[in-house]
Amino acid sequence: MSAAQALPNPAANPSHKRYFFEKFGITERLLERCLGEALSAGGDYADLYFESVTATSLGVDEQIVKSASTGTSAGCGIRVLSGERTGYAYTDNLSPERLLHAAKTAALIASGPAKEPIQGFQEKPLTDLYPVPLGGFDLDLAARLDLIQRADRAARAFSPHVIQVRSSYSEELRRILVIGSDGAFASDTQPLCRLNVFVIAKDEKNTARGNSGAGGRGGLELFTGSKSPETLAREAARGAILQLSAVPAPAGEMEVVLGPGWPGVLLHEAVGHGLEADFNRKKTSAFAGLIGQSVASSKVTVIDNGTMEGRRGSLNVDDEGSPTQETVLIENGILKGYLTDKLSSRLMGSANTGSGRRENYQCIPMPRMTNTYMLAGQDEPEDIIRSVKKGLYAVNFGGGQVDITNGKFVFSASEAYLIEDGKITAPVKDATLIGNGPEALKYVSMVGHDLKLDEGIGTCGKAGQSVPVGVGMPTVKLDRMTVGGTGR
């Protein structure tokens, strides 16, 4: 590497975060040697992903502290791309010897004719979507414990039918440094926290469960107002007690109204995954080859946006060092594009949307969602409900499954109600929504103006990797959807 291609001098660049240089003794010369070793057997591209995570978690069950842990981990993943081949190796030992060994291993896995030399590195100024709490996260567990104990007390005080409460708090501070042979040079410090409350309620005949949670990219200051422990606890207890009087859900094809906010998880699973570029590059997605074509009702516009301040799915840079962005996936029913990372954008000849994400340094990056939601429409939510003669109003969802190849999905509604003659009536239990993602969107006939994002609890799984995400949607009416249930 020539002097003109050398890494920027951190001392001359005060915006550069020196954490890995100071904590682990990483040097500019070592980074150059690792990239050189990674490309020594040929390849189109190589990158180094350094990660250090400090994590804390607490849990209270039946008013007793059942778990408390704090820990740190650090490591580096080294990737080499050669055509469609990927060589990947990682190490939790950041000594020069182990880093160079991992680089050589990745090089041999992806060996091929070299096509691209190492270029100069430039750290680009980034937005600051989540200022780190002053001093980062400290180890004062008392304040964290107070949060979950407050939640426990509030849930128990809600109703005598509440018989069991579990609450938990988790947080992490993740530091990353990404160096790429294409000149990528990015560092970030990413806070993340989450508070959860789980409640079991019981009456003479039934037992039911409810849960609630909130979080985001920040610290304890997030848990006030609508995200306070008391508010979350009361919501979990309300959900459990509501289910005690729920009637069996009806079965069959009917009109379905999805509530605002968390029901956007159905959009995330049934549609969002199918718009990730790796599935489309391999032509295993139901959306493959459909850019420019109508895939939804003209009332549907779907956005993935990693630049929303403080949101759980937001990132200043993705895990390949690329800035995140707002990406229009579907606009007025027309498919506009896919979510791409460096590999898929290179192979598909499309722009990189900054969607390369990984669970940790042991994992390869792949195209993933950040905060995915449907834009608001112009309909009054009340008018949407009034337009339904007989149907289902789904307010909250539990688990679900989707087949990316054909878009078929099954989702369980954890809170849903009957709609009869334009009015919300009895709560129902054991309701499932069954359909096909691309087809279901074509039956969207009304979209409310009440766009809402979830409270910051989403975690997305793909190929064995989990990453934090956000979802959202306004109130939406689907003229046809199959509902599974045991009622009439």
Side-chain angles (χ1 to χ4, degrees), residues 87-405:
Y88 196 78
Y90 63 87
T91 175
D92 61 1
N93 183 333
L94 298 184
S95 69
E97 295 77 19
R98 299 308 300 172
L99 288 170
L100 290 167
H101 178 74
K104 183 64 174 179
T105 302
L108 293 175
I109 295 172
S111 59
K115 298 178 182 178
E116 191 169 308
I118 300 175
Q119 300 177 7
F121 298 90
Q122 285 189 336
E123 184 182 14
K124 298 178 181 178
L126 300 173
T127 55
D128 191 3
L129 301 173
Y130 33 82
V132 179
L134 185 62
F137 289 129
D138 57 37
L139 295 181
D140 178 14
L141 297 183
R144 278 81 173 155
L145 182 59
D146 180 60
L147 279 181
I148 54 180
Q149 289 176 329
R150 285 165 55 192
D152 182 278
R153 291 192 296 268
R156 293 179 186 281
F158 188 82
S159 168
H161 290 297
V162 172
I163 63 169
Q164 185 175 349
V165 180
R166 293 202 304 265
S167 54
S168 63
Y169 176 81
S170 61
E171 69 183 20
E172 68 175 32
L173 192 65
R174 182 183 305 265
R175 297 177 174 91
I176 67 168
L177 173 65
V178 187
I179 309 292
S181 63
D182 61 353
F185 187 87
S187 55
D188 197 17
T189 302
Q190 302 164 350
L192 187 69
C193 62
R194 177 172 169 171
L195 175 65
N196 279 90
V197 187
F198 173 81
V199 170
I200 296 179
K202 186 177 181 179
D203 61 14
E204 296 79 7
K205 297 180 180 180
N206 302 306
T207 300
R209 302 176 178 183
N211 61 78
S212 182
R217 295 208 176 271
L220 295 179
E221 74 283 352
L222 292 180
F223 299 104
T224 59
S226 65
K227 292 185 178 182
S228 73
E230 290 78 13
T231 301
L232 298 177
R234 288 191 287 267
E235 176 61 20
R238 181 198 66 81
I241 290 169
L242 179 76
Q243 290 299 306
L244 293 176
S245 60
V247 301
E253 189 174 86
M254 64 188 71
E255 294 175 304
V256 171
V257 176
L258 303 177
W262 180 246
V265 69
L266 189 148
L267 182 76
H268 167 104
E269 294 288 358
V271 178
H273 277 300
L275 298 178
E276 291 166 339
D278 49 352
F279 295 126
N280 290 277
R281 175 172 62 84
K282 299 171 185 176
K283 302 190 184 305
T284 57
S285 167
F287 292 98
L290 298 182
I291 290 181
Q293 298 183 35
S294 175
V295 296
S297 159
S298 61
K299 293 180 176 286
V300 173
T301 296
V302 178
I303 304 291
D304 186 86
N305 189 353
T307 68
M308 307 177 77
E309 186 172 342
R311 299 299 307 178
R312 181 172 170 86
S314 296
L315 295 165
N316 291 322
V317 292
D318 72 0
D319 294 328
E320 297 180 308
S322 304
T324 55
Q325 63 182 51
E326 179 179 336
T327 304
V328 178
L329 298 172
I330 298 173
E331 185 174 27
N332 299 326
I334 305 299
L335 180 60
K336 291 296 185 179
Y338 307 123
L339 294 172
T340 60
D341 59 356
K342 287 185 176 180
L343 176 61
S344 57
S345 65
R346 186 181 293 229
L347 295 176
M348 297 175 74
S350 56
N352 180 6
T353 62
S355 305
R357 304 190 65 189
R358 64 183 106 197
E359 181 174 342
N360 54 49
Y361 70 89
Q362 301 177 16
C363 304
I364 62 171
M366 62 183 81
R368 303 293 297 270
M369 287 172 276
T370 55
N371 303 296
T372 310
Y373 52 93
M374 183 187 299
L375 289 189
Q378 298 180 342
D379 295 306
E380 292 286 343
E382 296 80 5
D383 291 341
I384 296 176
I385 299 296
R386 279 194 288 265
S387 72
V388 178
K389 178 71 174 175
K390 181 180 180 181
L392 189 78
Y393 179 43
V395 178
N396 216 336
F397 284 93
Q401 296 179 338
V402 62
D403 186 335
I404 300 299
T405 61

